Amino acid sequence: MQQLDGPWQTLTMKSSLSQADLLHQLIDEAEAIVIGVGAGLSAAAGFTYAGRRFTDAFPDFIAKYRFLDMLQASLFNFEDEQEYWAFQSRFSLLNFFDQPVGQAYIDLRNLMSGKNYHIITTNADNAFYAAKFDMDNVFRIQGEYGLWQCSEHCHQETYHDEALIRQMVREQSNMKIPESLVPHCPKCGAGLEINKRNEEKGMVEDAHFHEQKERYEQFLKENEDKKVLFLEIGVGHTTPQFIKHPFQQMTQENTKALFVTMNQRDYFIPRAIRPQTVRIDEDIADVLHTMADE
Ligand SMILES: [Zn+2]
């Protein structure tokens, strides 16, 4: 194809292309791709937090607490640590240790093959690992369900014990694990908890977290003057400070950058970057699959 002057030639043909073709050509045209992945991609891959996947795994918790979905349940203040771990151990198997590979993630990985890309995600599930992404290209900014932190955040290290999680699932009854299985912080003795951010204390960020963060920041720096495609996939408005707002800010700071948002919801786009914004509102899984097939 003949390259005309100016960035993003694909946009001049925008009206004649399907959304999948448009995005595919933008990806091919980009010099660097920064992908922000939210819960919408895991939902598109079938890892939904409501419906059968939830009701099959937690009928007892739903009966007791009338939970509406797994997100609400995972943030609930359980009555004690034995109940907390009865829930979290089952949740960890479902959304991390036993999480199957998702087609939408495979499609995204295939699309990025040979590309100059980096991913930041607020998802703490294991979907990128299951789909065999190069994890050096993925920054999990909201922790991982397979990791634990001191509930007092007394030190910046994380722990993991998959065998103990499986034992908790096997040996629990009446929504309680045996007291002897409750894990404690080796430094201060407080209970451990899943590695995640909360409003008061933030999140325990270990050395591995900081390595991921440095690689991501390095990628942004190396590509800051290029034709960068900021591709947001299934990012809602729960934590806009991690993906949505920085992507919009970086787009505004680079006249060659383009902000592409894949979302069926029409979120507010700041006026300054509207000319640099493309919205893909068709089904995420369908668009990724069409592109990966081409
Ligand atoms: Zn501690």
Side-chain angles (χ1 to χ4, degrees):
M1 194 200 304
Q2 198 190 350
Q3 288 290 308
L4 305 169
D5 290 325
W8 307 108
Q9 292 311 312
T10 304
L11 293 182
T12 62
M13 311 178 275
K14 193 173 161 185
S15 53
S16 63
L17 296 171
S18 70
Q19 290 196 345
D21 286 343
L22 171 64
L23 180 53
H24 204 172
Q25 293 194 24
L26 291 172
I27 287 171
D28 283 343
E29 215 187 311
E31 292 168 341
I33 306 158
V34 184
I35 307 175
V37 171
L41 182 61
S42 278
F47 309 129
T48 50
Y49 272 20
R52 283 291 297 275
R53 200 165 168 273
F54 174 51
T55 56
D56 285 356
F58 300 102
D60 43 358
F61 282 96
I62 294 167
K64 181 169 178 182
Y65 292 117
R66 311 250 171 251
F67 291 136
L68 298 173
D69 60 39
M70 236 185 298
L71 181 64
Q72 182 204 14
S74 71
L75 300 173
F76 186 71
N77 194 10
F78 289 103
E79 65 184 34
D80 58 26
E81 290 177 307
Q82 288 169 263
E83 190 181 61
Y84 172 86
W85 284 108
F87 178 87
Q88 296 295 350
S89 58
R90 278 192 253 165
F91 182 95
S92 301
L93 286 196
L94 187 64
N95 295 300
F96 199 88
F97 295 111
D98 289 342
Q99 187 175 19
V101 57
Q103 187 61 47
Y105 281 88
I106 294 177
D107 290 336
L108 180 63
R109 187 202 65 200
N110 289 342
L111 259 177
M112 286 304 120
S113 171
K115 303 285 185 211
N116 180 35
Y117 77 98
H118 210 98
I119 292 169
I120 175 172
T121 183
T122 47
N123 297 349
D125 65 9
N126 211 22
F128 284 103
Y129 186 83
K132 298 192 164 53
F133 271 80
D134 177 353
M135 295 310 286
D136 283 353
N137 286 339
V138 181
F139 174 23
R140 293 195 259 200
I141 196 170
Q142 292 285 63
E144 301 176 27
Y145 294 141
L147 299 179
W148 305 340
Q149 63 193 15
C150 169
S151 58
E152 294 297 325
H153 297 209
C154 80
H155 66 297
Q156 299 289 311
E157 277 177 60
T158 60
Y159 301 86
H160 59 98
D161 191 340
E162 181 183 341
L164 182 55
I165 285 284
R166 292 188 186 280
Q167 194 180 356
M168 290 176 187
V169 172
R170 274 197 315 272
E171 295 184 12
Q172 62 181 256
S173 63
N174 298 321
M175 302 152 65
K176 302 256 184 188
I177 65 163
E179 197 173 0
S180 60
L181 298 186
V182 172
H184 292 98
C185 172
K187 309 263 184 197
C188 77
L192 291 174
E193 64 181 15
I194 302 291
N195 180 218
K196 65 170 75 161
R197 211 173 291 278
N198 70 48
E199 272 177 32
E200 306 107 69
K201 281 185 281 193
M203 187 178 85
V204 166
E205 297 173 349
D206 64 5
H208 180 237
F209 177 94
H210 287 286
E211 286 164 21
Q212 294 178 62
K213 186 166 183 259
E214 276 163 33
R215 279 195 294 264
Y216 175 66
E217 287 170 353
Q218 181 69 23
F219 183 87
L220 294 178
K221 195 164 190 307
E222 281 170 6
N223 294 287
E224 65 186 354
D225 298 324
K226 294 186 188 162
K227 212 163 137 182
V228 183
L229 181 68
F230 288 99
L231 174 59
E232 184 196 80
I233 308 178
V235 174
H237 221 287
T238 342
T239 51
Q241 69 271 35
F242 297 120
I243 297 174
K244 194 175 285 292
H245 291 168
F247 274 27
Q248 292 176 347
Q249 186 63 37
M250 289 186 285
T251 301
Q252 193 173 342
E253 288 163 3
N254 175 358
T255 52
K256 286 194 275 180
L258 196 65
F259 175 63
V260 176
T261 173
M262 292 182 84
N263 212 311
Q264 286 178 313
R265 285 209 198 160
D266 192 5
Y267 289 104
F268 173 79
I269 306 288
R271 184 175 298 275
I273 62 155
R274 279 180 208 165
Q276 287 170 273
T277 298
V278 172
R279 182 164 166 247
I280 303 288
D281 61 4
E282 290 174 10
D283 182 82
I284 289 171
D286 288 347
V287 173
L288 287 175
H289 200 58
T290 303
M291 290 194 291
D293 260 3
E294 284 170 351

